[in-house]
Amino acid sequence: MLTDLPLDQLISYRSSQTRPDDFEEFWDTTLAEARQHDVDVSAELVETGLTTIDTYDVAFAGYGGERIRAWLRVPAGASGPLPTVVEYIGYGGGRGHVLDNLTWASAGYAHLYMDTRGQGSRWSVGHTPDSAASGPQIPGFVTRGIEDPSTYYYRRLYTDAVRAVDAARALPQVDVERIAVHGRSQGGALTLAVAGLRNDVRAALAFVPFLSDFPRATRITDAQPYREVADYLATHREDVARAHRTLSYFDGVNMVSRASAPALISVGLMDPVCPPSTVYAAINAYPAPCEVLTWDYNGHEGGGPVDVERALTFLKAQLG
Amino acid sequence: MLTDLPLDQLISYRSSQTRPDDFEEFWDTTLAEARQHDVDVSAELVETGLTTIDTYDVAFAGYGGERIRAWLRVPAGASGPLPTVVEYIGYGGGRGHVLDNLTWASAGYAHLYMDTRGQGSRWSVGHTPDSAASGPQIPGFVTRGIEDPSTYYYRRLYTDAVRAVDAARALPQVDVERIAVHGRSQGGALTLAVAGLRNDVRAALAFVPFLSDFPRATRITDAQPYREVADYLATHREDVARAHRTLSYFDGVNMVSRASAPALISVGLMDPVCPPSTVYAAINAYPAPCEVLTWDYNGHEGGGPVDVERALTFLKAQLG
Amino acid sequence: MLTDLPLDQLISYRSSQTRPDDFEEFWDTTLAEARQHDVDVSAELVETGLTTIDTYDVAFAGYGGERIRAWLRVPAGASGPLPTVVEYIGYGGGRGHVLDNLTWASAGYAHLYMDTRGQGSRWSVGHTPDSAASGPQIPGFVTRGIEDPSTYYYRRLYTDAVRAVDAARALPQVDVERIAVHGRSQGGALTLAVAGLRNDVRAALAFVPFLSDFPRATRITDAQPYREVADYLATHREDVARAHRTLSYFDGVNMVSRASAPALISVGLMDPVCPPSTVYAAINAYPAPCEVLTWDYNGHEGGGPVDVERALTFLKAQLG
Amino acid sequence: MLTDLPLDQLISYRSSQTRPDDFEEFWDTTLAEARQHDVDVSAELVETGLTTIDTYDVAFAGYGGERIRAWLRVPAGASGPLPTVVEYIGYGGGRGHVLDNLTWASAGYAHLYMDTRGQGSRWSVGHTPDSAASGPQIPGFVTRGIEDPSTYYYRRLYTDAVRAVDAARALPQVDVERIAVHGRSQGGALTLAVAGLRNDVRAALAFVPFLSDFPRATRITDAQPYREVADYLATHREDVARAHRTLSYFDGVNMVSRASAPALISVGLMDPVCPPSTVYAAINAYPAPCEVLTWDYNGHEGGGPVDVERALTFLKAQLG
Amino acid sequence: MLTDLPLDQLISYRSSQTRPDDFEEFWDTTLAEARQHDVDVSAELVETGLTTIDTYDVAFAGYGGERIRAWLRVPAGASGPLPTVVEYIGYGGGRGHVLDNLTWASAGYAHLYMDTRGQGSRWSVGHTPDSAASGPQIPGFVTRGIEDPSTYYYRRLYTDAVRAVDAARALPQVDVERIAVHGRSQGGALTLAVAGLRNDVRAALAFVPFLSDFPRATRITDAQPYREVADYLATHREDVARAHRTLSYFDGVNMVSRASAPALISVGLMDPVCPPSTVYAAINAYPAPCEVLTWDYNGHEGGGPVDVERALTFLKAQLG
Amino acid sequence: MLTDLPLDQLISYRSSQTRPDDFEEFWDTTLAEARQHDVDVSAELVETGLTTIDTYDVAFAGYGGERIRAWLRVPAGASGPLPTVVEYIGYGGGRGHVLDNLTWASAGYAHLYMDTRGQGSRWSVGHTPDSAASGPQIPGFVTRGIEDPSTYYYRRLYTDAVRAVDAARALPQVDVERIAVHGRSQGGALTLAVAGLRNDVRAALAFVPFLSDFPRATRITDAQPYREVADYLATHREDVARAHRTLSYFDGVNMVSRASAPALISVGLMDPVCPPSTVYAAINAYPAPCEVLTWDYNGHEGGGPVDVERALTFLKAQLG
């Protein structure tokens, strides 16, 4: 069933989220600190049994200079810099098994698939720890360090995602003029964040993105993982304003404010996990051209493989 | 939690299923009838946007000569006959999107991915109708035509699966001496059935196979799709013996009785869908060498991508 | 809890469903084809152990001339033609046991209780198979053959229902001037369809009818069986328009457009299965007099036995 | 799935329940007190719209002389005393609507359908209040007055059930030599209780009977209504022995100890509500001939209408 | 997720409930009858192992003169009359264990914790039976005696609650000029009822109160215990008006109409049990000053211990 | 329903867990490192509104010297060292609100209620962060750092718990000769761990303890939080042995091996969270006298307030 507003209201919906005065300063400072560490990319060819794809075990310096793992996949024996997709992962997963996620490399792209710090256990394995202290939290990652923007988990993860593009640019297989960012759900949130924090990505492909319009998202769904915030605030009931202040520094609605790359965003009108109004909140705030894939009868799976098919077409148009 | 017997009892568990006297005759007749139709394979190259893999839209004559669809994927530009994997699909799915299921072709195999008649709607699309009349049934496919072995849905689908190997053998990309059959869940059941009904497959890779040990399976789990049988018999309560007679012609425990190919079978000890005793019933009835992957803490996902990794190694040993 | 609009909005609610230009032609052709087969009614007295009711095992030619089963119940030893109720069955059930459904015959009516092709397994047994091929479908009957109006399951079933009245008219116990049609849920949908497709029924008693206002029904509830459509379209996400075109030929809102018999329709304001707006969509489209039984605190059970009590009164007024 | 022991163990299972020394005295005294009130049966013909059945609104003096309601149904215009079925109702229901439950009268029996004090709200209406004070209790009826055998709800209800046979015997339509008792679930428990407390019933038909083998029943299922006892004892954790002492005066295993009428008892091997061992506990304690209907794939619905069909045959043999 | 209207609409929401013409007469008569019995308070010191609190086992004459139990807790060795909190209990619980609920006495108050007749089994034990006959009802207490205001369960319980203040006034530890009433959920409903029925309480502290705005409450939530009413009316579908008439004599919206004490009321905007509009219905009908604690992300737990903290501050201001 | 073995088998059940050879060395080293930091207790009187209890906000140096918060509650104005209860908290909670948990101080004890690092969000607030990096993990705390004993979360928390007793001993209100440790569920696990790691506690009161017999616990229940381990191993399926090696250093069965204080342990036979065999595994491994409270019909709530009542009696006997 529909989980949110009808389509005609979605199209004009605007979030009530506000942008902190020091939002840009916060992110400029955060990224500058991260860049004090050399990106220091390593890439080691691994044996996978695949013959059409070469796979590299990559690591680079993310937030705090900590080592972030990734897989780089390229068509076997590819020579010359390739158009590139930097991809981020959905909530709970990690960079997974070397035999998974072959589509982008099979389509001729260099594909950098970034691990998610601390996650990588629920539906695919990961190999990157999260490093920081965390105040009392609801199990999961959405309230880890929510006491303050400076300690919030997504400050570290968004920074990793920005640095993943720096890492990609340092790899010989990558054509630095043709980099797109991409992800689904949490990966879509990172995609939009990076699109807003960097001006050198050429396209942003965000499917059913998470972490957008927290004031509404935390009130209109009981589905995880937005529900982690409501669970936290049910107990920390006197900290509602403080938590929302933290979240405002990470809300997709604000993250996209400086984006310039063309975007392709998908949304499922029956999605209880990332209700469509919260996705449209980001779409309607996106300052550059944005193509929308609206799926009437889909939940959080959105357009599934058809989203990918459309993305291939979109990227061909953007990256040549 | 464990859903069945502990491992030490599984290892020696034998099903109480019995084999009908005319079991071999039933299948010999069924397959002979199907082979009265020419296999009549067509294969049309399709545009997918992928550069490392060539994909063909395949059709061939299955049960009753009806057209069964499939995808054939091979490494782009492959010349000469390839070792081949014929794969069958899990319950509810169809051959899906051209961008899915790239692993086997990426590993250098010809990969024929057979559509499942009538299904292809729950989690991936299909394009093959089921053709026959069906008596009163529980929604789904497990009780469709259960009144008699001759009308049972799986008579048609098992026959399609046998014919898919005939189709593969007729394709120029396929090395007829190096064909393996493979599948997960319902696809694993078809794998075991084909391994028992043909003597020309070189390996059988069945992950968490379904449709095995009906006398026990229909009594020890409430999970779908075995539950369809119990739901049917709850209403058709005077037809218990008749339904079990039908099922005995399709039970994995009986299907494998003439198998000669080495097998790799996986099982999850926390699997409620295909409880491990029902899988071990097939394993312990398997007359040829059988390697078992037992996953202590997995449900119906079994070994997931690690099952595939082990399969690559196993196939390399069997097919060279 | 209320599952839909409040009553004051229901009363004026109109569906957004549209009627295809060839709607009448489609049905005229369909019924004409069916009538090329003689209705060929057989009726065999069966032993039931009941002393006040005579029961006959009936069969007649439905869609495609296929044999459709039914029970005919009449007061024991009744002489002369009787006022008659032709009843259709709810989703998943069949004509059931001879000891069930004694009310109408006990009230002095001839009662023809038509089996539902292919169903008859979930909560009562049936004895009539469905005959046609079916493309990929969600388990159940609502998406069987949904690719096209000509192959859709309900084309066959609606035609059976129309032919059941022909069959009734051919039975000596039936007074052809006093026939009413009746059913609950799916049976209510068939009731409304027959009321629209025939001009010789004297009353239509539809309780909590199903299969009405698909554009809204498939979007406002997750309850089965409407959910089958949404499940199908979640996977067949590029076929939304095609599926809705098919459904428009079978939507209760359109089916009733030529109805002339007085109707009694019940609706439960807490019904998640057939949400009240979808029932009111049919009520508000009904062109002849229509009495409505609105139950404030009922779900899909509607008025239960009180619906039947009201129906007895209504029928006495209509049929004398 | 099977909810209990396998059939071979059920057949020899014996409950650990014990019989209190004053069990017979308790019931003799209880019934003697009830019989100090005249049974004082009233029966008023009601208008139902049915033509083959005459229905009477009956009331009689039950426990404490309180008025217990019932429906009496007989074939229309029946003359002479009829073989009779006194029926008791499942948990939560009442005597219901006049249009329901027509089978027994349609089969030529006088059918007295006793209301259940205080219940009659969950799935069918009732019209008889429960009269007594109740100590702290779990919502429902199974722990009402459980502090002591003298205050327990089922002391009153069992007594009503015994008195219903006295009431039947006082009705002119009833042949006092041919009375059977009957019921399903709670009604089955009352059937067994009456079979043990009276020596003048000619048959006992108990389908999936409740209220049997409390020591095991309260520990092996979480299904309601046995769960009410466990819920009560979870809070009243220091009263376990006291509650079980009360229950021992009402346990089917003890109630049947003086039964002499032939019995027909049904049981569903997948019944979570009245797990089969608890039913077999009563079967195996039954001192007179007992025919068992065992349904392999049924839950608490047991044999459904087939149970009734078998009951008609059984009664014909017992009552002539 | 939010379970009801947004806050800006809650603030002006008014219930559609109406007050019966004889509402005041009904309650005046009811209380006058109760007061014909002497309140007859007994209080016996009990051994608890606690050293800072003295605990008394209290009983007094409630509705019909029946003995109602309670705990009185006071600071150990307190001399002189104390400010006093009379507290009522949430649905299903009883006065519980002597070691529970120490807060009010630890804060220097005399604390009278009244048992709830008939309940006291679900989450804490009670020791007070309910005494009256009950017509057919849904398991629980909300439909017990709902046939008529005179027989309704809450007539007895509200009267007990009024009498508990009479009992408190008769205790030497209590300062009769400084009595507040208090409770959570059902206890909050009793608090508001007593605030409306007595003019001698100095403050009313009702957290997430139940039993308010029945016309809306019974339609907008499926959560228990409001759902008991809908369950009852689903079966007793012809008694809707009669039941609502009964409820109107007990609806918080009407009960508060004569209240004069300052109130503190809490509400959780994500409460499915007592949806916030039903609480605001009472708040907005409250004729005396009313402070509201609104918790954005809380369900039926409301403000939890923070509600209590605020209550301590509020009471200090009101009682000195 | 019973969730595990029957009582007669529980009494003799022994876990299959093994103790690592360097178990003692591991813990000796761990605690020695922690004690390199001065315990550095601070205690600040806080205003609570309570008059019978004085409450202090306490902090001390736990694992790694990190500040661990706690509440100290003592009878108001208590002079002289008091018998003392150091209490640990159940999974997900924190030290909570100052108005909660008054029982022990009200009974005359000094009560030190230790916060749980990182938790304190699910059902009560906490104020202590967890400090360490965590590898990929399932949301929650049971798999945080499970890669190695040295990084495992419970290494830090068990050490905090040991240090809490050091902190208690440094407080002037505490009689160092009369200290007991206590907790429920996770708090019970910490209680048993401290009883094994220190020889100066006089009693251990562990109710329904968690974290015991991991080899069995992770296989026989799907309830959280044991399920976190199974969820982790479902994904990290090749790390089963490594994870169990880590867990063996923290398993209650091993932790108690050096315990000398008399223990009181409670267990619920219907507990799905901490199944009774896992509790009996610790009981049967406990080398000092151990009194067991077995609750037949209770789940994870165990004996609830009656456990506390028994604990008061037990402590009086042990501490005088």
Side-chain angles (χ1 to χ4, degrees), chain D residues 133-145:
Chain D
S134 84
Q137 66 160 108
I138 286 292
F141 301 87
V142 187
T143 66
R144 185 177 280 184

Side-chain angles (χ1 to χ4, degrees), chain B residues 1 270 297, chain F residues 4 91 138 142-143 146 152 154 158 185-186 189 208-233 244 247 250-253 271-279 281-282 300:
Chain B
M1 57 190 291
M270 295 185 172
Y297 286 91
Chain F
D4 207 329
Y91 192 73
I138 286 292
V142 187
T143 67
I146 198 172
Y152 191 44
Y154 283 103
Y158 281 18
S185 196
Q186 177 185 262
V208 293
F210 180 43
L211 301 172
S212 176
D213 197 4
F214 284 108
R216 181 172 170 89
T218 59
R219 286 180 171 90
I220 63 163
T221 183
D222 276 340
Q224 297 292 8
Y226 277 126
R227 178 72 214 177
E228 291 181 22
V229 177
D231 284 346
Y232 179 88
L233 292 176
H244 274 297
L247 295 172
F250 303 91
D251 192 311
V253 169
D271 187 349
V273 176
C274 294
S277 64
T278 67
V279 177
H300 195 50

Side-chain angles (χ1 to χ4, degrees), chain F residues 5 18 24 50-51 84-85 94 101 125 144 157 172 185 204 223 275:
Chain F
L5 304 173
T18 55
E24 298 199 2
L50 301 180
T51 58
T84 297
V85 172
N101 304 301
V125 296
R144 184 176 279 186
L157 185 57
S185 196

Side-chain angles (χ1 to χ4, degrees), chain C residues 90-178:
Chain C
Y91 192 74
R95 65 175 183 164
H97 197 280
V98 289
L99 295 176
D100 295 333
N101 304 302
L102 308 181
T103 309
W104 292 102
S106 298
Y109 290 87
H111 179 227
L112 186 69
Y113 195 65
M114 184 186 91
D115 208 6
T116 306
R117 57 169 60 224
Q119 299 186 19
S121 292
R122 185 62 85 188
W123 51 270
S124 63
V125 296
H127 305 94
T128 304
D130 182 32
S131 59
S134 85
Q137 66 159 107
I138 286 292
F141 302 87
V142 187
T143 67
R144 184 177 280 187
I146 198 171
E147 305 88 64
D148 192 83
S150 67
T151 58
Y152 191 44
Y153 170 81
Y154 282 103
R155 183 179 180 229
R156 302 190 290 278
L157 186 57
Y158 282 18
T159 301
D160 294 345
V162 167
R163 293 294 274 162
V165 178
D166 288 333
R169 294 171 66 93
L171 288 164
Q173 296 91 341
V174 171
D175 178 348
V176 300
E177 299 297 321
R178 293 191 291 166

Side-chain angles (χ1 to χ4, degrees), chain A residues 64-84:
Chain A
E66 294 153 10
R67 298 303 287 172
I68 308 301
R69 307 289 290 275
W71 296 123
L72 173 70
R73 294 183 177 94
V74 295
S79 66
L82 298 167
T84 296

